[in-house]
Amino acid sequence: MKRRNLLEALAAVAGCTTLPLLAAPSLPPVKVFKNPSCGCCGAWVEHMKSAGFVVEVNPVEDTTVARKRLGMPDAFGSCHTASVGGYVLEGRVPAAEVKRLLGLKPVAIGLAVPSMPPGSPGMEANGREDPYDVLLIDLGGHSSVFASYPKS
């Protein structure tokens, strides 16, 4: 066997054995409850999909029922509610923070971005970026700042 053929064969074998190790772990699916006529919620769904999440959309007229069933306090309510990996997402939580939440695995209900701040995912408007916080909601229903936007 020529040296070149041997090197090509070794490279092929090495590529086959290391490729699965380099593959990113799969993300858990996101289940979204949103009003079917809300376009900005649809834009948030697209934001999550573009970040690699598989998203299931469940059209509901009122997200309050899903929010209560999932355990998110109404005080943090927004226009859509989602669940992912055992956590609840309320409002326009950036995909990067969802991934960080899933990596850190804190004991919590989930993340919330109350209201609809301009510049948050799905609320991009004419380049306007109002500051907002992504809140971590603990099991007692209390919040702490998980991330602040826009990031500097």
Side-chain angles (χ1 to χ4, degrees), residues 14-31:
C16 289
T17 58
T18 59
L19 202 52
L21 299 175
L22 298 176
S26 63
L27 296 167
V30 178
K31 189 172 187 177

Side-chain angles (χ1 to χ4, degrees), residues 72 88-90 93 97-98 101 110-113 134-136 146:
M72 180 63 72
V88 182
L89 307 175
E90 187 66 34
V93 178
E97 302 311 332
V98 177
L101 173 79
L111 298 176
V113 175
V134 177
L135 304 176
L136 177 69
F146 189 72

Side-chain angles (χ1 to χ4, degrees), residues 109-145:
I109 294 170
L111 298 176
V113 175
S115 73
M116 297 168 60
S120 61
M123 291 299 295
E124 295 86 359
N126 302 324
R128 181 175 162 189
E129 290 188 4
D130 288 5
Y132 67 94
D133 291 328
V134 177
L135 304 176
L136 177 69
I137 312 305
D138 69 21
L139 296 179
H142 302 100
S143 67
S144 59
V145 176

Side-chain angles (χ1 to χ4, degrees), residues 4 8 26 67-68 127-128 136:
R4 180 177 177 186
E8 286 173 353
S26 63
R67 187 178 315 114
K68 286 182 191 250
R128 181 175 162 189
L136 177 69

Side-chain angles (χ1 to χ4, degrees), residues 23-88:
S26 63
L27 296 167
V30 178
K31 189 172 187 177
V32 181
F33 301 90
K34 73 174 212 62
N35 186 295
S37 63
C38 184
C40 54
C41 291
W44 182 80
V45 167
E46 292 307 314
H47 165 76
M48 295 299 286
K49 286 179 179 179
S50 70
F53 287 95
V54 173
V55 182
E56 174 192 321
V57 176
N58 297 277
V60 295
E61 291 302 317
D62 181 10
T63 59
T64 305
V65 174
R67 187 178 315 114
K68 286 182 191 250
R69 183 174 49 78
L70 293 170
M72 180 63 72
D74 281 336
F76 304 105
S78 188
C79 55
H80 63 264
T81 302
S83 63
V84 60
Y87 293 103
V88 182

